[in-house]
Structures are given as structure tokens and as C-alpha cells.
Amino acid sequence: MYETTFLVNASLDDHQIQATIAKVQETIENNGGQIKAVEKIGRKRLAYPINKKNNGFFVSIEFLSAGNVVNQLNRFYQFEENVLRFLNVIVDKNILKARQPSPAQAGNP
């Protein structure tokens, strides 16, 4: 399981931001990946300016795939001018277990 987190230029229209997110999802799926979760964190103020931008739209996507998808994503991010920063990581199996509610917690409202 992999996770990619990226920062889109927040000065774009919502439609343009959604189109950029869709391109990332297409890149994952076209290279044999399977998307498990998409979390659109939203617009946030940056701690420091990136390319003279003070705000960014944060997105995190969890996906299953072979390692070649990560290489394709890196290539996509480098050429996509609307993506300010990105990070791809392998999600540890222990973290996945910790995210799942235990049977006792699942039954409690």
C-alpha cells in the first residue's frame, strides 16, 4: 500500500483543482494501481511560500500497486505545473492495522 500526498496551487478555480486530482487518479489507475481512499484536505496556509504562493490545496490518496506506479507519479508531478510539492510513501503494515477499528470498538456507537 502506498500513499501520495500532494499540494495543488490554491489560487486555481475549484474545477481546475479537481481536474488536477483526476489526472493523478488516472495516472495511478492507468498504470495498474487501485485507489483505496482519496482525502481532499482542502486549502491551507503554507508555513513558507512555495513558488511565491502562500496557500495550497492538500490532497492525500492511498492506493495499491506495483512499484512502477510511483515512478510514473513522480514523473507526472515533475511536469504538472499546478502541483507545488508532493510526497510518496509506503504505508507500513502496522499503521494499516492501527487504522482499522478493533471488533470491540466497531460495535460501540
Side-chain angles (χ1 to χ4, degrees), residues 35-81:
I35 296 175
K36 291 295 184 183
V38 177
E39 183 179 1
K40 297 174 186 172
I41 300 166
R43 286 181 169 85
K44 301 280 183 184
R45 183 159 178 80
L46 303 176
Y48 57 90
I50 300 173
N51 298 338
K52 299 182 182 178
K53 308 290 184 209
N54 292 317
N55 295 304
F57 190 94
F58 289 80
V59 181
S60 180
I61 300 176
E62 290 182 3
F63 61 96
L64 291 171
S65 74
N68 66 335
V69 173
V70 175
N71 293 334
Q72 295 297 325
L73 270 176
N74 286 339
R75 185 169 172 78
F76 169 79
Y77 288 141
Q78 289 171 351
F79 291 113
E80 179 59 46
E81 61 187 29

mmCIF file of all heavy atoms in Angstrom, residues 35-81:
data_model
loop_
_atom_site.group_PDB
_atom_site.id
_atom_site.type_symbol
_atom_site.label_atom_id
_atom_site.label_comp_id
_atom_site.label_asym_id
_atom_site.label_seq_id
_atom_site.Cartn_x
_atom_site.Cartn_y
_atom_site.Cartn_z
ATOM 1 N N ILE A 35 -7.045 2.535 -6.391
ATOM 2 C CA ILE A 35 -7.214 3.579 -5.381
ATOM 3 C C ILE A 35 -8.103 3.065 -4.259
ATOM 4 O O ILE A 35 -9.188 2.552 -4.503
ATOM 5 C CB ILE A 35 -7.794 4.859 -6.006
ATOM 6 C CG1 ILE A 35 -6.797 5.430 -7.014
ATOM 7 C CG2 ILE A 35 -8.149 5.886 -4.939
ATOM 8 C CD1 ILE A 35 -7.278 6.613 -7.787
ATOM 9 N N LYS A 36 -7.627 3.234 -3.017
ATOM 10 C CA LYS A 36 -8.377 2.802 -1.840
ATOM 11 C C LYS A 36 -9.088 3.965 -1.154
ATOM 12 O O LYS A 36 -10.183 3.805 -0.648
ATOM 13 C CB LYS A 36 -7.439 2.118 -0.826
ATOM 14 C CG LYS A 36 -6.914 0.790 -1.293
ATOM 15 C CD LYS A 36 -8.048 -0.184 -1.424
ATOM 16 C CE LYS A 36 -7.567 -1.560 -1.791
ATOM 17 N NZ LYS A 36 -8.653 -2.495 -1.981
ATOM 18 N N ALA A 37 -8.446 5.134 -1.103
ATOM 19 C CA ALA A 37 -9.050 6.277 -0.426
ATOM 20 C C ALA A 37 -8.486 7.571 -0.997
ATOM 21 O O ALA A 37 -7.308 7.651 -1.346
ATOM 22 C CB ALA A 37 -8.770 6.219 1.072
ATOM 23 N N VAL A 38 -9.359 8.578 -1.098
ATOM 24 C CA VAL A 38 -8.959 9.917 -1.521
ATOM 25 C C VAL A 38 -9.424 10.876 -0.436
ATOM 26 O O VAL A 38 -10.609 10.919 -0.107
ATOM 27 C CB VAL A 38 -9.591 10.307 -2.872
ATOM 28 C CG1 VAL A 38 -9.216 11.722 -3.250
ATOM 29 C CG2 VAL A 38 -9.184 9.332 -3.955
ATOM 30 N N GLU A 39 -8.493 11.624 0.120
ATOM 31 C CA GLU A 39 -8.836 12.600 1.145
ATOM 32 C C GLU A 39 -8.441 13.990 0.650
ATOM 33 O O GLU A 39 -7.264 14.280 0.467
ATOM 34 C CB GLU A 39 -8.112 12.297 2.460
ATOM 35 C CG GLU A 39 -8.497 13.238 3.572
ATOM 36 C CD GLU A 39 -7.794 12.930 4.877
ATOM 37 O OE1 GLU A 39 -6.986 11.996 4.928
ATOM 38 O OE2 GLU A 39 -8.060 13.646 5.849
ATOM 39 N N LYS A 40 -9.457 14.803 0.412
ATOM 40 C CA LYS A 40 -9.224 16.188 -0.006
ATOM 41 C C LYS A 40 -9.219 17.030 1.262
ATOM 42 O O LYS A 40 -10.267 17.382 1.795
ATOM 43 C CB LYS A 40 -10.315 16.633 -0.972
ATOM 44 C CG LYS A 40 -10.315 15.821 -2.248
ATOM 45 C CD LYS A 40 -11.483 16.161 -3.129
ATOM 46 C CE LYS A 40 -11.525 15.215 -4.310
ATOM 47 N NZ LYS A 40 -12.738 15.390 -5.091
ATOM 48 N N ILE A 41 -8.033 17.343 1.721
ATOM 49 C CA ILE A 41 -7.873 18.055 2.986
ATOM 50 C C ILE A 41 -8.323 19.496 2.846
ATOM 51 O O ILE A 41 -8.908 20.070 3.739
ATOM 52 C CB ILE A 41 -6.417 17.942 3.474
ATOM 53 C CG1 ILE A 41 -6.086 16.455 3.677
ATOM 54 C CG2 ILE A 41 -6.198 18.734 4.751
ATOM 55 C CD1 ILE A 41 -4.628 16.146 3.826
ATOM 56 N N GLY A 42 -8.042 20.084 1.698
ATOM 57 C CA GLY A 42 -8.541 21.426 1.423
ATOM 58 C C GLY A 42 -7.456 22.488 1.414
ATOM 59 O O GLY A 42 -6.266 22.194 1.490
ATOM 60 N N ARG A 43 -7.905 23.738 1.354
ATOM 61 C CA ARG A 43 -6.981 24.877 1.293
ATOM 62 C C ARG A 43 -6.420 25.163 2.681
ATOM 63 O O ARG A 43 -7.156 25.255 3.646
ATOM 64 C CB ARG A 43 -7.708 26.105 0.765
ATOM 65 C CG ARG A 43 -7.982 26.039 -0.712
ATOM 66 C CD ARG A 43 -8.689 27.315 -1.201
ATOM 67 N NE ARG A 43 -8.729 27.378 -2.646
ATOM 68 C CZ ARG A 43 -9.658 26.803 -3.389
ATOM 69 N NH1 ARG A 43 -10.639 26.131 -2.813
ATOM 70 N NH2 ARG A 43 -9.615 26.910 -4.702
ATOM 71 N N LYS A 44 -5.112 25.335 2.712
ATOM 72 C CA LYS A 44 -4.413 25.653 3.964
ATOM 73 C C LYS A 44 -3.342 26.698 3.664
ATOM 74 O O LYS A 44 -2.797 26.753 2.565
ATOM 75 C CB LYS A 44 -3.722 24.414 4.556
ATOM 76 C CG LYS A 44 -4.639 23.265 4.870
ATOM 77 C CD LYS A 44 -5.331 23.492 6.169
ATOM 78 C CE LYS A 44 -6.188 22.271 6.498
ATOM 79 N NZ LYS A 44 -6.952 22.447 7.671
ATOM 80 N N ARG A 45 -3.043 27.482 4.662
ATOM 81 C CA ARG A 45 -1.942 28.453 4.559
ATOM 82 C C ARG A 45 -0.631 27.698 4.745
ATOM 83 O O ARG A 45 -0.506 26.856 5.627
ATOM 84 C CB ARG A 45 -2.088 29.535 5.615
ATOM 85 C CG ARG A 45 -1.026 30.598 5.521
ATOM 86 C CD ARG A 45 -1.482 31.872 6.223
ATOM 87 N NE ARG A 45 -0.456 32.890 6.195
ATOM 88 C CZ ARG A 45 -0.199 33.664 5.152
ATOM 89 N NH1 ARG A 45 -0.903 33.536 4.050
ATOM 90 N NH2 ARG A 45 0.749 34.567 5.207
ATOM 91 N N LEU A 46 0.338 27.995 3.912
ATOM 92 C CA LEU A 46 1.632 27.327 3.966
ATOM 93 C C LEU A 46 2.522 27.971 5.031
ATOM 94 O O LEU A 46 2.403 29.168 5.314
ATOM 95 C CB LEU A 46 2.318 27.404 2.603
ATOM 96 C CG LEU A 46 1.536 26.832 1.426
ATOM 97 C CD1 LEU A 46 2.294 27.071 0.126
ATOM 98 C CD2 LEU A 46 1.266 25.361 1.632
ATOM 99 N N ALA A 47 3.414 27.188 5.591
ATOM 100 C CA ALA A 47 4.339 27.697 6.601
ATOM 101 C C ALA A 47 5.344 28.666 5.979
ATOM 102 O O ALA A 47 5.830 29.577 6.643
ATOM 103 C CB ALA A 47 5.075 26.540 7.272
ATOM 104 N N TYR A 48 5.642 28.446 4.705
ATOM 105 C CA TYR A 48 6.547 29.330 3.981
ATOM 106 C C TYR A 48 6.113 29.340 2.512
ATOM 107 O O TYR A 48 5.512 28.382 2.037
ATOM 108 C CB TYR A 48 8.007 28.872 4.109
ATOM 109 C CG TYR A 48 8.243 27.458 3.642
ATOM 110 C CD1 TYR A 48 8.575 27.174 2.319
ATOM 111 C CD2 TYR A 48 8.115 26.395 4.528
ATOM 112 C CE1 TYR A 48 8.774 25.886 1.889
ATOM 113 C CE2 TYR A 48 8.312 25.091 4.111
ATOM 114 C CZ TYR A 48 8.648 24.846 2.789
ATOM 115 O OH TYR A 48 8.842 23.555 2.369
ATOM 116 N N PRO A 49 6.380 30.418 1.798
ATOM 117 C CA PRO A 49 5.953 30.500 0.394
ATOM 118 C C PRO A 49 6.655 29.447 -0.472
ATOM 119 O O PRO A 49 7.840 29.170 -0.305
ATOM 120 C CB PRO A 49 6.363 31.902 -0.037
ATOM 121 C CG PRO A 49 6.573 32.670 1.213
ATOM 122 C CD PRO A 49 6.980 31.679 2.248
ATOM 123 N N ILE A 50 5.897 28.858 -1.389
ATOM 124 C CA ILE A 50 6.427 27.938 -2.384
ATOM 125 C C ILE A 50 6.066 28.516 -3.744
ATOM 126 O O ILE A 50 4.884 28.719 -4.033
ATOM 127 C CB ILE A 50 5.823 26.527 -2.230
ATOM 128 C CG1 ILE A 50 6.141 25.961 -0.849
ATOM 129 C CG2 ILE A 50 6.327 25.611 -3.331
ATOM 130 C CD1 ILE A 50 5.450 24.644 -0.553
ATOM 131 N N ASN A 51 7.056 28.801 -4.543
ATOM 132 C CA ASN A 51 6.840 29.430 -5.858
ATOM 133 C C ASN A 51 5.982 30.688 -5.737
ATOM 134 O O ASN A 51 5.066 30.912 -6.518
ATOM 135 C CB ASN A 51 6.207 28.452 -6.843
ATOM 136 C CG ASN A 51 7.081 27.262 -7.124
ATOM 137 O OD1 ASN A 51 8.287 27.310 -6.926
ATOM 138 N ND2 ASN A 51 6.477 26.183 -7.581
ATOM 139 N N LYS A 52 6.253 31.465 -4.715
ATOM 140 C CA LYS A 52 5.559 32.728 -4.426
ATOM 141 C C LYS A 52 4.075 32.526 -4.111
ATOM 142 O O LYS A 52 3.274 33.437 -4.255
ATOM 143 C CB LYS A 52 5.730 33.715 -5.573
ATOM 144 C CG LYS A 52 7.185 34.085 -5.818
ATOM 145 C CD LYS A 52 7.308 35.087 -6.931
ATOM 146 C CE LYS A 52 8.773 35.395 -7.169
ATOM 147 N NZ LYS A 52 8.964 36.334 -8.270
ATOM 148 N N LYS A 53 3.701 31.325 -3.666
ATOM 149 C CA LYS A 53 2.326 31.018 -3.267
ATOM 150 C C LYS A 53 2.295 30.841 -1.752
ATOM 151 O O LYS A 53 3.167 30.196 -1.177
ATOM 152 C CB LYS A 53 1.819 29.734 -3.928
ATOM 153 C CG LYS A 53 1.977 29.681 -5.425
ATOM 154 C CD LYS A 53 1.050 30.639 -6.113
ATOM 155 C CE LYS A 53 1.185 30.465 -7.614
ATOM 156 N NZ LYS A 53 0.923 31.634 -8.364
ATOM 157 N N ASN A 54 1.279 31.415 -1.108
ATOM 158 C CA ASN A 54 1.154 31.314 0.341
ATOM 159 C C ASN A 54 0.106 30.300 0.786
ATOM 160 O O ASN A 54 0.017 29.976 1.964
ATOM 161 C CB ASN A 54 0.816 32.676 0.944
ATOM 162 C CG ASN A 54 1.962 33.643 0.802
ATOM 163 O OD1 ASN A 54 3.116 33.293 1.019
ATOM 164 N ND2 ASN A 54 1.652 34.873 0.409
ATOM 165 N N ASN A 55 -0.728 29.823 -0.153
ATOM 166 C CA ASN A 55 -1.777 28.864 0.166
ATOM 167 C C ASN A 55 -1.685 27.677 -0.791
ATOM 168 O O ASN A 55 -1.247 27.824 -1.927
ATOM 169 C CB ASN A 55 -3.165 29.501 0.041
ATOM 170 C CG ASN A 55 -3.377 30.593 1.057
ATOM 171 O OD1 ASN A 55 -3.239 30.364 2.247
ATOM 172 N ND2 ASN A 55 -3.689 31.788 0.584
ATOM 173 N N GLY A 56 -2.157 26.523 -0.309
ATOM 174 C CA GLY A 56 -2.160 25.333 -1.145
ATOM 175 C C GLY A 56 -3.368 24.472 -0.830
ATOM 176 O O GLY A 56 -3.946 24.562 0.254
ATOM 177 N N PHE A 57 -3.754 23.643 -1.767
ATOM 178 C CA PHE A 57 -4.849 22.694 -1.590
ATOM 179 C C PHE A 57 -4.210 21.322 -1.409
ATOM 180 O O PHE A 57 -3.570 20.798 -2.317
ATOM 181 C CB PHE A 57 -5.776 22.702 -2.810
ATOM 182 C CG PHE A 57 -7.050 21.946 -2.621
ATOM 183 C CD1 PHE A 57 -8.203 22.592 -2.211
ATOM 184 C CD2 PHE A 57 -7.106 20.567 -2.822
ATOM 185 C CE1 PHE A 57 -9.384 21.897 -2.025
ATOM 186 C CE2 PHE A 57 -8.274 19.861 -2.642
ATOM 187 C CZ PHE A 57 -9.420 20.520 -2.237
ATOM 188 N N PHE A 58 -4.372 20.742 -0.227
ATOM 189 C CA PHE A 58 -3.736 19.474 0.113
ATOM 190 C C PHE A 58 -4.634 18.297 -0.234
ATOM 191 O O PHE A 58 -5.836 18.323 0.036
ATOM 192 C CB PHE A 58 -3.420 19.432 1.612
ATOM 193 C CG PHE A 58 -2.303 20.347 2.015
ATOM 194 C CD1 PHE A 58 -2.517 21.700 2.203
ATOM 195 C CD2 PHE A 58 -1.026 19.846 2.211
ATOM 196 C CE1 PHE A 58 -1.491 22.543 2.583
ATOM 197 C CE2 PHE A 58 0.009 20.679 2.591
ATOM 198 C CZ PHE A 58 -0.217 22.035 2.769
ATOM 199 N N VAL A 59 -4.043 17.244 -0.819
ATOM 200 C CA VAL A 59 -4.765 16.032 -1.191
ATOM 201 C C VAL A 59 -3.901 14.833 -0.821
ATOM 202 O O VAL A 59 -2.680 14.852 -1.002
ATOM 203 C CB VAL A 59 -5.062 15.988 -2.706
ATOM 204 C CG1 VAL A 59 -5.841 14.739 -3.069
ATOM 205 C CG2 VAL A 59 -5.806 17.230 -3.151
ATOM 206 N N SER A 60 -4.552 13.782 -0.293
ATOM 207 C CA SER A 60 -3.856 12.548 0.046
ATOM 208 C C SER A 60 -4.624 11.375 -0.574
ATOM 209 O O SER A 60 -5.841 11.292 -0.438
ATOM 210 C CB SER A 60 -3.777 12.384 1.561
ATOM 211 O OG SER A 60 -3.109 11.198 1.891
ATOM 212 N N ILE A 61 -3.897 10.480 -1.266
ATOM 213 C CA ILE A 61 -4.516 9.323 -1.920
ATOM 214 C C ILE A 61 -3.782 8.062 -1.486
ATOM 215 O O ILE A 61 -2.553 7.994 -1.570
ATOM 216 C CB ILE A 61 -4.448 9.447 -3.462
ATOM 217 C CG1 ILE A 61 -5.187 10.693 -3.930
ATOM 218 C CG2 ILE A 61 -5.016 8.201 -4.127
ATOM 219 C CD1 ILE A 61 -5.091 10.952 -5.420
ATOM 220 N N GLU A 62 -4.536 7.065 -1.004
ATOM 221 C CA GLU A 62 -3.982 5.757 -0.679
ATOM 222 C C GLU A 62 -4.299 4.818 -1.837
ATOM 223 O O GLU A 62 -5.425 4.814 -2.341
ATOM 224 C CB GLU A 62 -4.604 5.202 0.595
ATOM 225 C CG GLU A 62 -4.189 5.922 1.842
ATOM 226 C CD GLU A 62 -4.788 5.313 3.092
ATOM 227 O OE1 GLU A 62 -5.490 4.289 2.998
ATOM 228 O OE2 GLU A 62 -4.556 5.873 4.164
ATOM 229 N N PHE A 63 -3.311 4.013 -2.236
ATOM 230 C CA PHE A 63 -3.535 3.110 -3.360
ATOM 231 C C PHE A 63 -2.662 1.867 -3.247
ATOM 232 O O PHE A 63 -1.628 1.871 -2.594
ATOM 233 C CB PHE A 63 -3.291 3.819 -4.690
ATOM 234 C CG PHE A 63 -1.886 4.336 -4.884
ATOM 235 C CD1 PHE A 63 -0.954 3.591 -5.582
ATOM 236 C CD2 PHE A 63 -1.508 5.576 -4.383
ATOM 237 C CE1 PHE A 63 0.332 4.063 -5.778
ATOM 238 C CE2 PHE A 63 -0.229 6.057 -4.570
ATOM 239 C CZ PHE A 63 0.695 5.301 -5.273
ATOM 240 N N LEU A 64 -3.124 0.804 -3.900
ATOM 241 C CA LEU A 64 -2.376 -0.448 -4.015
ATOM 242 C C LEU A 64 -1.794 -0.511 -5.419
ATOM 243 O O LEU A 64 -2.481 -0.180 -6.387
ATOM 244 C CB LEU A 64 -3.292 -1.653 -3.817
ATOM 245 C CG LEU A 64 -3.859 -1.872 -2.426
ATOM 246 C CD1 LEU A 64 -4.906 -2.975 -2.465
ATOM 247 C CD2 LEU A 64 -2.760 -2.227 -1.456
ATOM 248 N N SER A 65 -0.527 -0.941 -5.524
ATOM 249 C CA SER A 65 0.061 -1.078 -6.850
ATOM 250 C C SER A 65 1.447 -1.682 -6.759
ATOM 251 O O SER A 65 1.990 -1.863 -5.672
ATOM 252 C CB SER A 65 0.177 0.283 -7.529
ATOM 253 O OG SER A 65 1.218 1.020 -6.945
ATOM 254 N N ALA A 66 1.995 -1.938 -7.924
ATOM 255 C CA ALA A 66 3.403 -2.323 -8.026
ATOM 256 C C ALA A 66 4.236 -1.041 -7.932
ATOM 257 O O ALA A 66 3.718 0.067 -8.059
ATOM 258 C CB ALA A 66 3.647 -3.031 -9.346
ATOM 259 N N GLY A 67 5.519 -1.185 -7.735
ATOM 260 C CA GLY A 67 6.390 -0.029 -7.537
ATOM 261 C C GLY A 67 6.524 0.889 -8.736
ATOM 262 O O GLY A 67 6.881 2.053 -8.588
ATOM 263 N N ASN A 68 6.227 0.399 -9.948
ATOM 264 C CA ASN A 68 6.404 1.245 -11.129
ATOM 265 C C ASN A 68 5.432 2.423 -11.159
ATOM 266 O O ASN A 68 5.695 3.425 -11.806
ATOM 267 C CB ASN A 68 6.277 0.426 -12.413
ATOM 268 C CG ASN A 68 4.877 -0.122 -12.616
ATOM 269 O OD1 ASN A 68 4.118 -0.308 -11.670
ATOM 270 N ND2 ASN A 68 4.548 -0.386 -13.862
ATOM 271 N N VAL A 69 4.321 2.339 -10.456
ATOM 272 C CA VAL A 69 3.357 3.442 -10.431
ATOM 273 C C VAL A 69 3.965 4.659 -9.746
ATOM 274 O O VAL A 69 3.740 5.793 -10.162
ATOM 275 C CB VAL A 69 2.042 3.020 -9.731
ATOM 276 C CG1 VAL A 69 1.113 4.194 -9.563
ATOM 277 C CG2 VAL A 69 1.369 1.924 -10.526
ATOM 278 N N VAL A 70 4.758 4.419 -8.718
ATOM 279 C CA VAL A 70 5.391 5.521 -8.004
ATOM 280 C C VAL A 70 6.322 6.287 -8.944
ATOM 281 O O VAL A 70 6.348 7.525 -8.935
ATOM 282 C CB VAL A 70 6.141 5.017 -6.756
ATOM 283 C CG1 VAL A 70 6.893 6.145 -6.073
ATOM 284 C CG2 VAL A 70 5.162 4.370 -5.777
ATOM 285 N N ASN A 71 7.058 5.575 -9.775
ATOM 286 C CA ASN A 71 7.929 6.235 -10.751
ATOM 287 C C ASN A 71 7.122 7.071 -11.734
ATOM 288 O O ASN A 71 7.514 8.185 -12.086
ATOM 289 C CB ASN A 71 8.767 5.210 -11.515
ATOM 290 C CG ASN A 71 9.767 4.517 -10.623
ATOM 291 O OD1 ASN A 71 10.187 5.068 -9.612
ATOM 292 N ND2 ASN A 71 10.143 3.310 -10.982
ATOM 293 N N GLN A 72 5.988 6.546 -12.187
ATOM 294 C CA GLN A 72 5.126 7.287 -13.110
ATOM 295 C C GLN A 72 4.527 8.528 -12.435
ATOM 296 O O GLN A 72 4.410 9.585 -13.052
ATOM 297 C CB GLN A 72 4.012 6.386 -13.646
ATOM 298 C CG GLN A 72 4.517 5.253 -14.506
ATOM 299 C CD GLN A 72 5.215 5.749 -15.762
ATOM 300 O OE1 GLN A 72 4.831 6.754 -16.341
ATOM 301 N NE2 GLN A 72 6.262 5.052 -16.160
ATOM 302 N N LEU A 73 4.157 8.379 -11.153
ATOM 303 C CA LEU A 73 3.626 9.529 -10.408
ATOM 304 C C LEU A 73 4.687 10.619 -10.261
ATOM 305 O O LEU A 73 4.392 11.805 -10.442
ATOM 306 C CB LEU A 73 3.156 9.101 -9.016
ATOM 307 C CG LEU A 73 1.724 8.652 -8.888
ATOM 308 C CD1 LEU A 73 1.449 8.182 -7.465
ATOM 309 C CD2 LEU A 73 0.756 9.729 -9.272
ATOM 310 N N ASN A 74 5.895 10.226 -9.901
ATOM 311 C CA ASN A 74 6.979 11.205 -9.769
ATOM 312 C C ASN A 74 7.182 11.960 -11.069
ATOM 313 O O ASN A 74 7.332 13.187 -11.075
ATOM 314 C CB ASN A 74 8.282 10.520 -9.358
ATOM 315 C CG ASN A 74 8.273 10.092 -7.917
ATOM 316 O OD1 ASN A 74 7.506 10.598 -7.104
ATOM 317 N ND2 ASN A 74 9.120 9.133 -7.591
ATOM 318 N N ARG A 75 7.159 11.247 -12.167
ATOM 319 C CA ARG A 75 7.324 11.880 -13.485
ATOM 320 C C ARG A 75 6.162 12.837 -13.767
ATOM 321 O O ARG A 75 6.358 13.955 -14.241
ATOM 322 C CB ARG A 75 7.411 10.803 -14.553
ATOM 323 C CG ARG A 75 7.695 11.319 -15.928
ATOM 324 C CD ARG A 75 8.041 10.160 -16.868
ATOM 325 N NE ARG A 75 8.141 10.580 -18.236
ATOM 326 C CZ ARG A 75 9.167 11.213 -18.768
ATOM 327 N NH1 ARG A 75 10.196 11.519 -18.005
ATOM 328 N NH2 ARG A 75 9.174 11.552 -20.025
ATOM 329 N N PHE A 76 4.940 12.401 -13.466
ATOM 330 C CA PHE A 76 3.769 13.255 -13.676
ATOM 331 C C PHE A 76 3.883 14.540 -12.852
ATOM 332 O O PHE A 76 3.665 15.637 -13.369
ATOM 333 C CB PHE A 76 2.491 12.505 -13.294
ATOM 334 C CG PHE A 76 1.281 13.393 -13.236
ATOM 335 C CD1 PHE A 76 0.626 13.767 -14.390
ATOM 336 C CD2 PHE A 76 0.823 13.871 -12.021
ATOM 337 C CE1 PHE A 76 -0.485 14.604 -14.337
ATOM 338 C CE2 PHE A 76 -0.285 14.702 -11.959
ATOM 339 C CZ PHE A 76 -0.932 15.072 -13.122
ATOM 340 N N TYR A 77 4.223 14.388 -11.558
ATOM 341 C CA TYR A 77 4.313 15.562 -10.676
ATOM 342 C C TYR A 77 5.372 16.558 -11.152
ATOM 343 O O TYR A 77 5.188 17.767 -11.049
ATOM 344 C CB TYR A 77 4.647 15.138 -9.249
ATOM 345 C CG TYR A 77 3.523 14.457 -8.497
ATOM 346 C CD1 TYR A 77 3.785 13.375 -7.662
ATOM 347 C CD2 TYR A 77 2.213 14.891 -8.594
ATOM 348 C CE1 TYR A 77 2.775 12.746 -6.953
ATOM 349 C CE2 TYR A 77 1.203 14.274 -7.895
ATOM 350 C CZ TYR A 77 1.487 13.206 -7.076
ATOM 351 O OH TYR A 77 0.481 12.593 -6.375
ATOM 352 N N GLN A 78 6.475 16.067 -11.669
ATOM 353 C CA GLN A 78 7.542 16.958 -12.107
ATOM 354 C C GLN A 78 7.125 17.811 -13.300
ATOM 355 O O GLN A 78 7.578 18.940 -13.438
ATOM 356 C CB GLN A 78 8.788 16.153 -12.445
ATOM 357 C CG GLN A 78 9.446 15.580 -11.216
ATOM 358 C CD GLN A 78 10.565 14.608 -11.536
ATOM 359 O OE1 GLN A 78 10.749 14.224 -12.686
ATOM 360 N NE2 GLN A 78 11.297 14.198 -10.518
ATOM 361 N N PHE A 79 6.238 17.280 -14.140
ATOM 362 C CA PHE A 79 5.811 18.025 -15.326
ATOM 363 C C PHE A 79 4.503 18.783 -15.125
ATOM 364 O O PHE A 79 4.153 19.624 -15.952
ATOM 365 C CB PHE A 79 5.686 17.087 -16.530
ATOM 366 C CG PHE A 79 7.010 16.584 -17.009
ATOM 367 C CD1 PHE A 79 7.351 15.255 -16.888
ATOM 368 C CD2 PHE A 79 7.935 17.462 -17.557
ATOM 369 C CE1 PHE A 79 8.574 14.794 -17.316
ATOM 370 C CE2 PHE A 79 9.168 17.008 -17.993
ATOM 371 C CZ PHE A 79 9.491 15.678 -17.873
ATOM 372 N N GLU A 80 3.777 18.498 -14.059
ATOM 373 C CA GLU A 80 2.497 19.173 -13.799
ATOM 374 C C GLU A 80 2.764 20.485 -13.066
ATOM 375 O O GLU A 80 3.178 20.488 -11.911
ATOM 376 C CB GLU A 80 1.587 18.268 -12.965
ATOM 377 C CG GLU A 80 0.247 18.885 -12.610
ATOM 378 C CD GLU A 80 -0.578 19.280 -13.823
ATOM 379 O OE1 GLU A 80 -0.682 18.484 -14.765
ATOM 380 O OE2 GLU A 80 -1.117 20.393 -13.801
ATOM 381 N N GLU A 81 2.511 21.603 -13.734
ATOM 382 C CA GLU A 81 2.833 22.911 -13.160
ATOM 383 C C GLU A 81 1.903 23.318 -12.020
ATOM 384 O O GLU A 81 2.249 24.189 -11.231
ATOM 385 C CB GLU A 81 2.838 23.975 -14.250
ATOM 386 C CG GLU A 81 1.506 24.145 -14.940
ATOM 387 C CD GLU A 81 1.575 25.081 -16.138
ATOM 388 O OE1 GLU A 81 2.638 25.164 -16.770
ATOM 389 O OE2 GLU A 81 0.548 25.710 -16.418
#
